[in-house]
Amino acid sequence: MKNVGVVYGKEMKDALRDPRTLLLMIIFPLIINPVMILFIGKMSKSEEQQIKSTRVVVALQRGAELSDLRAVLSSEPNLEVIESANPEADVNSKRATAGIQVPAGASELLRQGKAVKLIVVFDGTREISRHARDLSEEGIKKFGEKTTSKALTDRGQPADLARLVTAERKDAASASRQAGYLLGVFLPYILTIGVANGVTSTAIDVTSGEKDRSTLETVLVSSAGRSDILVGKLLAVVTTGFVAVLSSALSMALMFLGGGMLFGAEAKGVSMSVSPGALTGVVLLSIPLAVLFSAVLMALGCFAKSAKEGQTQAVYVQMVLIFAGISTLVKQTEPTAQSFMVPVLGTALAQRELLMGEFHPQHLIMAVLCSSVLAVVAIFVAVRLFGNEQVMFRSK
Amino acid sequence: MIEAKGLTKQYEDKKKGPFRAADNISFTARKGQVFGLLGRNGAGKTTTLRMLSTILMPTEGTAVLNGFDILENAADVRRSIGFHTSDTKLYDRLTGREALEFYGRLQGMTEADVRARVQELAAEFKLVEFIDNRIAKLSGGQKQRISLARVVVHRPPILILDEPTVGLDIMAAREVMLFVQRSRASGHCVVLSTHIMAEVEKLCDEVAIIEKGRVIESGTLGAIKERHKENEIEEVFFKLVGEGVQ
């Protein structure tokens, strides 16, 4: 065990003096990632505001004689109503941002108290057209209510009869649960990518990198056993991954707690708070993943003839991890028990539960067990490869 | 001090079938002696030395170094040897002192011993001025001196040097040769592989000439020259392996 510590100490010193490791372990997760997320958030918000302030043109079917509808639409700021013989053609030619098709004799039908169906025409590929569609639909809704009220009044009925039943939304989730949900959507992804980035450079450097630099033999001819050497290296790689996770979690927590700048949480009226215990649990759940990724990448590094080959193979692994990470973003349905046994996804789901204040020991055990078993297998493979002279001394 | 007994290393070549990089190599090297393994590139010198230093496992045969069998007591063998090749590099991001201390600790030296030993080596190899600088910033010659100090940091009785001067400039190569001479004088058993005949004449007490993985001649330099009625070992070498070389 002493040799494990000696190798670990040397590898950590070596890694901390490598600018690439520092960049991926601390600078990226702590500074670059939050800056990028803030930038994207700001861009998205500014885009939304720009769309709201852009003047839209709604083409209303010529001869519709629905002056009330025209008045309602025109009352909307930044909305101009034009008459059109063919609203769909005007939308396609971009003369109008959206259009409303009105069936012939609509005005008369309404007077008789008969139903009329208006069609809102829009271009789904244009954000501004979708915005004009929403404004048109809102205007039609108001116009409909007004028309119904008038029809009821004309028949001596109270105008409110049209609104006997209304619906209002109330989110039963507590504020902290909502905050946990919001954080749980993206934090597992950020941590997964963070740990993958954190371990890759070091894992390849301590294996195939040593082959390239001709430093491996100097260690192999020491009295330390090869498993001790590999375990010392593995611990150093896991440490870099764990520091990357800590940096990611810290930066995200600060961003989240420091004002809910993400996902328009403020606009949704969500109180931004998450328990330190849950956050600690989330970080701890990343450890088996860090061990798994480290062992897999080290096994690949041992197998690679050169650091270049190792880096190439690491890119493939990272692509798989990014795919797995994205699956944690999109998996929004109620997870089944089996989902917790899927590598990466299971950990992400368990992390999400913790952030939402839910504690299901069986889910945690399944997620940890799955990653741990795979990590043990990967460590076994890495140890075997590191001890295999035909692999370690394959000619380039 | 070293007794190689029928060391053989066989590889499976997908196209050519089984291939013996070393075939039944046997020799004995004693304390205070420089034993040379001579051969052209690919003759099997490096494979033999890697088997002696337990980096590679022999397919057949074994060797005993400092009383320890390479198959049964690999860790003790590694503790008994200092291994060096001209390709061997050091960790660029460590300082010379950190690197030497690392290798000393890895060989099981105590903290106090390793620190004292590094001070001793700093004086012996004239490292004092740059030992606390990062290796990446050192000159080739300075790196070479730290490399040689690394070989003996744990005071091994046996030195295994695989073509230690290949690719070095004349000053660095001379440094290595002086190191070998000093090591012999201090009672080390040195096994040296080379294809530079001037080094052999200057340094080796006994040699084994290897060709296609087999020892084709061995003995003291004088005895070999006399057997082949030549004045220089180079002539003997070409006579034995240089068919077609004019």
Side-chain angles (χ1 to χ4, degrees):
Chain A
M1 277 306 288
K2 188 198 161 203
N3 286 328
V4 171
V6 171
V7 174
Y8 174 76
K10 178 258 151 191
E11 294 298 356
M12 281 313 296
K13 198 175 277 180
D14 211 5
L16 290 173
R17 289 177 184 174
D18 183 354
R20 288 171 305 172
T21 311
L22 288 178
L23 192 73
L24 293 168
M25 193 170 70
I26 296 169
I27 310 291
F28 254 96
L30 210 53
I31 299 168
I32 313 271
N33 283 353
V35 167
M36 276 168 57
I37 289 171
L38 277 179
F39 178 71
I40 291 168
K42 208 168 172 59
M43 281 231 324
S44 155
K45 207 169 181 178
S46 130
E47 180 83 359
E48 201 180 313
Q49 280 169 348
Q50 200 187 338
I51 281 176
K52 278 183 183 167
S53 63
T54 304
R55 190 165 182 78
V56 296
V57 176
V58 174
L60 187 61
Q61 187 87 51
R62 183 170 292 151
E65 293 174 0
L66 298 176
S67 53
D68 282 352
L69 173 60
R70 190 184 177 111
V72 168
L73 290 171
S74 300
S75 69
E76 190 68 41
N78 300 322
L79 191 152
E80 184 193 346
V81 181
I82 59 167
E83 288 215 340
S84 165
N86 187 346
E88 187 170 346
D90 284 341
V91 169
N92 280 328
S93 68
K94 294 188 180 168
R95 182 171 167 255
T97 331
I100 300 174
Q101 291 176 340
V102 182
S107 178
E108 184 53 34
L109 286 169
L110 287 173
R111 256 195 300 278
Q112 292 169 13
K114 289 182 179 167
V116 167
K117 189 188 206 176
L118 308 186
I119 295 170
V120 178
V121 185
F122 67 102
D123 181 347
T125 62
R126 294 173 67 205
E127 184 72 33
I128 191 71
S129 183
R130 291 200 297 272
H131 172 60
R133 169 203 64 192
D134 294 344
L135 291 177
S136 302
E137 283 174 350
E138 189 61 32
I140 290 170
K141 190 181 164 200
K142 281 181 190 165
F143 166 69
E145 284 171 359
K146 200 173 170 185
T147 309
T148 309
S149 298
K150 188 171 178 297
L152 286 167
T153 312
D154 289 349
R155 284 164 179 74
Q157 300 289 333
D160 283 348
L161 206 58
R163 291 187 290 275
L164 279 182
V165 179
T166 56
E168 190 184 308
R169 288 178 183 173
K170 186 181 177 190
D171 196 336
S174 66
S176 64
R177 194 174 147 79
Q178 288 181 50
Y181 172 77
L182 278 176
L183 196 56
V185 169
F186 67 91
L187 187 60
Y189 173 75
I190 298 275
L191 295 187
T192 303
I193 299 304
V195 73
N197 283 339
V199 302
T200 303
S201 164
T202 318
I204 299 302
D205 194 63
V206 300
T207 48
S208 49
E210 287 229 29
K211 288 185 188 179
D212 268 10
R213 294 190 298 270
S214 302
T215 47
L216 196 58
E217 283 181 347
T218 63
V219 181
L220 295 182
V221 292
S222 75
S223 56
R226 291 196 183 181
S227 324
D228 285 0
I229 295 169
L230 186 98
V231 172
K233 285 173 177 287
L234 178 74
L235 288 178
V237 178
V238 171
T239 304
T240 60
F242 187 63
V243 172
V245 165
L246 279 181
S247 306
S248 301
L250 184 68
S251 67
M252 290 299 117
L254 287 177
M255 279 182 72
F256 196 69
L257 300 174
M261 290 169 279
L262 303 165
F263 289 90
E266 282 171 319
K268 290 174 189 171
V270 176
S271 156
M272 309 312 291
S273 69
V274 59
S275 94
L279 206 56
T280 308
V282 166
V283 168
L284 291 178
L285 271 173
S286 297
I287 294 178
L289 268 192
V291 179
L292 172 61
F293 293 174
S294 303
V296 168
L297 286 162
M298 283 185 69
L300 283 174
C302 288
F303 192 74
K305 291 176 191 164
S306 64
K308 193 177 171 186
E309 190 181 311
Q311 292 287 1
T312 308
Q313 288 168 351
V315 169
Y316 300 139
V317 174
Q318 282 208 324
M319 282 165 68
V320 172
L321 293 178
I322 288 170
F323 178 76
I326 289 171
S327 76
T328 69
L329 279 177
V330 297
K331 180 80 178 169
Q332 299 291 324
T333 51
E334 294 294 316
T336 58
Q338 289 91 331
S339 308
F340 290 87
M341 296 193 74
V342 179
V344 184
L345 178 65
T347 303
L349 293 173
Q351 286 171 326
R352 191 177 298 171
E353 281 188 348
L354 282 180
L355 288 167
M356 288 168 66
E358 292 175 16
F359 182 71
H360 300 295
Q362 70 274 25
H363 291 168
L364 293 175
I365 290 168
M366 278 194 278
V368 170
L369 205 64
C370 171
S371 297
S372 302
V373 168
L374 289 173
V376 168
V377 172
I379 291 171
F380 177 76
V381 172
V383 169
R384 291 296 297 263
L385 288 174
F386 194 70
N388 187 327
E389 61 185 51
Q390 285 184 333
V391 171
M392 294 308 287
F393 294 102
R394 285 198 303 163
S395 58
K396 294 170 194 171
Chain B
M1 190 140 269
I2 298 179
E3 194 181 359
K5 297 182 267 192
L7 282 175
T8 300
K9 185 69 184 176
Q10 182 168 304
Y11 292 105
E12 294 300 320
D13 189 300
K14 281 178 191 167
K15 289 176 186 167
K16 297 173 190 166
F19 159 71
R20 290 196 162 197
D23 190 359
N24 197 28
I25 303 263
S26 299
F27 63 86
T28 303
R30 281 169 280 275
K31 192 179 174 194
Q33 185 187 53
V34 177
F35 189 93
L37 285 180
L38 275 66
R40 50 178 150 186
N41 287 345
K45 307 185 295 291
T46 297
T47 304
T48 304
L49 295 187
R50 280 182 166 181
M51 284 192 283
L52 287 178
S53 36
T54 76
I55 295 172
L56 298 180
M57 283 279 283
T59 315
E60 287 169 28
T62 187
V64 177
L65 287 84
N66 198 31
F68 301 112
D69 191 291
I70 57 169
L71 300 178
E72 289 161 16
N73 315 97
D76 292 316
V77 169
R78 291 197 290 269
R79 209 169 280 126
S80 305
I81 62 168
F83 180 83
H84 177 75
T85 80
S86 60
D87 280 343
T88 308
K89 301 289 187 303
L90 296 162
Y91 295 103
D92 275 353
R93 291 188 285 266
L94 300 187
T95 66
R97 185 185 301 279
E98 287 167 345
L100 293 176
E101 286 180 353
F102 166 64
Y103 290 112
R105 288 186 195 111
L106 214 49
Q107 290 288 13
M109 294 170 79
T110 63
E111 202 56 31
D113 192 19
V114 84
R115 285 176 192 274
R117 178 64 174 153
V118 170
Q119 282 301 104
E120 202 178 299
L121 291 170
E124 187 183 334
F125 287 84
K126 300 185 179 68
L127 314 175
V128 179
E129 278 179 23
F130 54 85
I131 194 167
D132 290 310
N133 295 349
R134 288 212 192 160
I135 288 166
K137 292 181 178 170
L138 303 182
S139 69
Q142 290 170 332
K143 285 180 187 173
Q144 173 72 13
R145 278 193 256 164
I146 290 179
S147 256
L148 293 175
R150 174 194 66 78
V151 178
V152 292
V153 67
H154 56 297
R155 302 184 187 89
I158 296 168
L159 303 183
I160 296 176
L161 310 177
D162 186 12
E163 301 195 333
T165 58
V166 169
L168 299 183
D169 70 37
I170 190 165
M171 299 306 286
R174 180 168 167 74
E175 194 111 39
V176 174
M177 287 171 75
L178 292 173
F179 168 73
V180 173
Q181 285 171 336
R182 280 204 311 273
S183 300
R184 172 172 51 195
S186 59
H188 286 89
C189 169
V190 183
V191 179
L192 170 86
S193 82
T194 184
H195 58 255
I196 303 169
M197 297 304 153
E199 277 179 11
V200 178
E201 295 276 7
K202 206 163 191 174
L203 297 174
C204 296
D205 302 297
E206 279 191 49
V207 295
I209 299 174
I210 300 181
E211 174 67 358
K212 293 178 182 166
R214 301 182 72 94
V215 174
I216 54 171
E217 178 62 283
S218 64
T220 63
L221 285 179
I224 292 175
K225 286 179 198 170
E226 192 163 326
R227 258 200 303 277
H228 295 274
K229 300 190 182 352
E230 294 287 353
N231 291 326
E232 290 176 8
I233 194 71
E234 188 168 12
E235 294 307 319
V236 179
F237 181 80
F238 285 131
K239 192 183 262 183
L240 290 170
V241 306
E243 285 170 18
V245 178
Q246 299 300 313

